[in-house]
Amino acid sequence: MTSSSNLIDGRAIAAQVLEELRPRLERLRTRGVQPGLAFVRVGEDPASRVYVGRKEKTAAELGIRSHTHVLPEATPESELLALLDRLNRDDSWHGILVQAPLPRHIRAERIYAAIRPDKDVDGFHPVNMGRLLLGDPGGFVPCTPAGIQELLVRAGISWEGAHVVILGRGNIVGKPLAALLCQKAPRANATVTLCHSATRNLAEHCRRADILVAAMGVPEFVRADMVRPGAVVVDVGVNRVADPARPGGTRLVGDVAFAEVQPLAGRITPNPGGVGPMTIAMLMHNTVRAAETLTA
Ligand code: NAP
């Protein structure tokens, strides 16, 4: 297939999700509530700067108030914890997001556990992770897995009974996505295989997938011979690779060798323009929900 007819348009679907938030924002506004989303970025990781910038921009477009606290790379863990404590107690902030990755001297699990679960719009607090595993809809689901679920549902693809193979068991994408999709619940009910670096015969698992999700951070790992013709392919990876032909000497590629996989996939997410915009849309969705709940 050389046309773009099998593409799943993440930008368009994310725009729909954001549009649907507007009436909810309007209802909050009539009650005098403007949702507030506080970002915390530690250090100057270039990708983190871009990601937080995009999230701030989308928040502004929706009328969600945001502010980014930028802390130097060498910030002690105790200082970051003190900032989170202040944000936890400040009623004008309904959502708090600490952008990953954090510097090595900061224990990410301590940081995520220090955010109030009802302001944890990124969904990484152990309470929210636990709720996700238990199938309790009262928690916040991490934005990328939630976005992948929403993306395929809105693209008309059913997870129900499908064999989903996820490549990567990271805490941000693979593991919570597996927990989400294996639930006995509408929009889930999938049979999930979770692969990682110790998986034997990984390509064979991939070829048995109805839906293949690549979330490893390995450039163009998924090749055509790993995909069953007609399978749905979701490319989550964002990898910067050298490319002397480009002005900056680099370019971004996904975890899927798109040019060779697209022709045989049933449906496929472009990258960029697939999962990324959905991650941001689900963050806004979680923030509006947090504001509604905290001010009810
Ligand atoms: P992570 O925590 O580093 O996890 C990577 C996973 O991939 C690990 O489970 C690792 O296995 C596995 N893996 C790595 N190399 C492998 C190989 N050769 N064979 C089999 N498994 C392998 O990464 P993450 O935070 O989940 O992120 C994954 C990717 O998604 C990254 O490219 C990231 O930039 C991207 N991402 C995109 C978005 C978005 O909105 N588009 C959001 C978040 C992340 P082990 O566990 O055995 O080490």
Side-chain angles (χ1 to χ4, degrees):
M1 188 180 296
T2 49
S3 77
S4 60
S5 61
N6 65 347
L7 293 183
I8 300 170
D9 188 344
R11 286 199 182 101
I13 294 175
Q16 268 174 24
V17 172
L18 294 174
E19 238 0 85
E20 288 166 17
L21 292 175
R22 291 193 187 276
R24 291 169 66 176
L25 282 155
E26 183 52 29
R27 277 196 293 277
L28 283 167
R29 202 186 61 78
T30 55
R31 288 203 283 117
V33 177
Q34 182 183 26
L37 175 55
F39 298 105
V40 182
R41 179 161 67 72
V42 187
E44 294 301 331
D45 174 61
S48 293
R49 289 175 64 155
V50 171
Y51 292 146
V52 173
R54 285 189 192 144
K55 292 168 188 173
E56 281 177 319
K57 183 168 171 277
T58 306
E61 283 163 5
L62 280 176
I64 292 174
R65 184 171 74 102
S66 77
H67 177 75
T68 302
H69 298 262
V70 181
L71 306 181
E73 180 84 21
T75 301
E77 189 179 272
S78 57
E79 241 177 70
L80 177 52
L81 288 170
L83 170 62
L84 293 175
D85 186 46
R86 287 199 299 280
L87 295 170
N88 278 339
R89 287 192 247 187
D90 184 336
D91 288 345
S92 67
W93 297 113
H94 306 99
I96 303 170
L97 182 147
V98 179
Q99 182 65 42
L102 287 164
R104 293 172 77 88
H105 66 277
I106 294 179
R107 288 164 290 182
E109 65 284 0
R110 281 205 71 185
I111 299 308
Y112 295 135
I115 298 170
R116 264 175 60 166
D118 52 4
K119 292 191 177 188
D120 172 38
V121 287
D122 231 2
F124 297 140
H125 189 286
V127 164
N128 284 319
M129 282 288 192
R131 285 180 174 148
L132 169 60
L133 198 56
L134 293 169
D136 172 354
F140 287 112
V141 177
C143 300
T144 303
I148 295 169
Q149 183 189 42
E150 194 69 37
L151 181 64
L152 265 55
V153 167
R154 289 182 186 239
I157 297 157
S158 174
W159 298 100
E160 172 90 26
H163 180 209
V164 180
V165 175
I166 302 171
L167 303 179
R169 59 177 161 190
N171 285 336
I172 292 179
V173 188
K175 221 188 275 178
L177 182 64
L180 186 61
L181 298 178
C182 75
Q183 296 301 323
K184 187 165 182 166
R187 301 153 55 92
N189 230 1
T191 302
V192 180
T193 300
L194 187 56
C195 299
H196 44 76
S197 64
T199 300
R200 274 196 291 270
N201 305 323
L202 187 138
E204 276 176 37
H205 289 294
C206 293
R207 284 190 286 270
R208 282 196 289 270
D210 300 314
I211 302 174
L212 180 63
V213 182
M216 314 160 84
V218 182
E220 301 187 322
F221 180 90
V222 176
R223 316 298 307 201
D225 63 359
M226 296 164 74
V227 178
R228 186 178 59 72
V232 175
V233 179
V234 177
D235 187 1
V236 188
V238 181
N239 311 291
R240 190 163 287 283
V241 295
D243 183 350
R246 296 288 173 101
T250 63
R251 73 189 153 95
L252 291 176
V253 296
D255 284 2
V256 175
F258 185 83
E260 63 182 73
V261 172
Q262 191 209 353
L264 64 107
R267 306 286 301 277
I268 186 167
T269 61
N271 191 345
V275 173
M278 290 302 294
T279 298
I280 297 178
M282 299 320 286
L283 174 66
M284 300 304 140
H285 174 270
N286 282 352
T287 303
V288 170
R289 212 186 103 197
E292 288 168 344
T293 310
L294 287 164
T295 61

